[in-house]
Amino acid sequence: MFLDPAVVVLPAFAQEDNAGEASEVAPWFDVYDFGSTEVDGLAQPLYYTDDVVLAATGIGKAPTATTVATLAAGDTVSLADATMVTVGIAGAPPSVGTLGSVFVADTVVDWDPKMRLDDEFELPRWNAEYVWELDPDLVERAAAAARTIDLTDSERARTIRAQYDDDRDPSVGVGPTIGSDELYHGRKITAEVQRLCELYGLDGYATTEMESAATAVALERFGLLDRYVSVRGVSNFDREPPGGDPTESIDGLAFDLGVENAVTAGRAVVESLLDD
């Protein structure tokens, strides 16, 4: 079998990968009539139509890099004319976005590589790049497509927002995303994330997640980074509310809403790419 798609969709996880929580994969079955095949190197089946391939990467950087490299180096899928689109959930700073909002990444930053000096850190001294600027025209097109859809909201999201004195409705934005193998939450750790961004010359970040840095470096190795889009729905805030406890607020998830809006916006992006 040989597939030559126009778009490759890269969700992270199916329901069985995430302790029975909502799936980033399953909603796409309501959108496209996929066939499926097994591919060596992929942990999940590969789903496909004539124009769209869907490949679940797995959660975290190592599974994601393995999946993307398998696709790029293998002989089942040609990426020669494809645009790769990550669609999934993320956390966000309350100052930047609210629950249910959707962000298209313009920059990807890897949180993990650094030098720790007791409680301080500095950028790695070895010669490597850990910030990737994504193609601005593609980012703009993706954000414009995402803004054509109506985002939904939920009572659970409104209840969580109230703890943060946040009465905003979900919206679509653009900004940097931080990829990491660490699921972090709280004001102390996110102050460090903010500092890392400043050391790299960025004002801040819009989303936090666990796959984009691995996707970016794998695509860059194969000369495909200029055809990468990352679309993330905000399922949680990345820190506790004022006066709150991060051990409690980390469970403040609007998981279903984040997935729903990510996939709705992601579908609009995919359809815009297919129209070309």
Side-chain angles (χ1 to χ4, degrees):
M1 174 178 290
F2 179 77
L3 302 171
D4 188 16
V7 180
V8 176
V9 180
L10 300 168
F13 55 85
Q15 193 168 26
E16 58 269 23
D17 301 319
N18 195 40
E21 295 286 352
S23 165
E24 292 179 346
V25 173
W28 292 96
F29 298 147
D30 297 328
V31 179
Y32 300 108
D33 184 15
F34 287 115
S36 67
T37 187
E38 300 288 335
V39 177
D40 289 343
L42 300 187
Q44 299 282 343
L46 185 75
Y47 299 99
Y48 62 89
T49 69
D50 289 342
D51 298 314
V52 178
V53 160
L54 184 144
T57 63
I59 298 171
K61 289 160 65 178
T64 298
T66 301
T67 298
V68 176
T70 295
L71 294 175
D75 56 7
T76 301
V77 181
S78 170
L79 301 184
D81 298 312
T83 301
M84 279 58 68
V85 185
T86 289
V87 181
I89 59 168
S95 61
V96 176
T98 195
L99 303 182
S101 289
V102 171
F103 284 92
V104 177
D106 58 3
T107 307
V108 176
V109 179
D110 192 340
W111 158 251
D112 295 311
K114 63 179 75 70
M115 287 191 62
R116 280 282 179 189
L117 305 167
D118 286 335
D119 291 335
E120 297 296 324
F121 69 84
E122 62 182 50
L123 296 181
R125 294 176 182 174
W126 49 94
N127 184 26
E129 292 292 331
Y130 297 103
V131 178
W132 297 267
E133 301 289 338
L134 302 186
D135 182 85
D137 291 335
L138 191 53
V139 169
E140 182 178 349
R141 287 177 53 206
R147 290 188 175 111
T148 64
I149 58 97
D150 293 325
L151 299 177
T152 60
D153 205 350
S154 71
E155 186 59 38
R156 177 167 177 78
R158 287 187 286 270
T159 299
I160 297 169
R161 285 194 207 107
Q163 301 173 35
Y164 293 79
D165 296 322
D166 178 9
D167 60 359
R168 293 169 294 176
D169 296 324
S171 61
V172 175
V174 173
T177 190
I178 311 297
S180 128
D181 265 331
E182 186 177 45
L183 198 166
Y184 48 80
H185 179 83
R187 293 180 183 276
K188 292 181 180 179
I189 184 66
T190 52
E192 292 191 346
V193 178
Q194 175 67 29
R195 178 169 174 257
L196 182 74
C197 289
E198 292 169 357
L199 289 174
Y200 279 126
L202 301 173
D203 290 337
Y205 61 96
T207 55
T208 69
E209 35 71 28
M210 300 177 69
E211 294 82 31
S212 63
T215 304
V217 71
L219 291 175
E220 184 179 51
R221 294 282 180 92
F222 288 92
L224 299 169
L225 185 62
D226 62 337
R227 286 186 276 122
Y228 177 49
V229 179
S230 177
V231 180
R232 295 278 178 174
V234 177
S235 63
N236 59 282
F237 292 122
D238 69 352
R239 66 200 70 186
E240 72 273 23
D245 183 340
T247 62
E248 297 175 357
S249 58
I250 193 172
D251 293 322
L253 294 169
F255 206 101
D256 291 344
L257 178 66
V259 170
E260 179 181 356
N261 283 347
V263 172
T264 302
R267 179 185 181 185
V269 173
V270 170
E271 290 300 317
S272 174
L273 295 168
L274 292 177
D275 284 344
D276 292 341

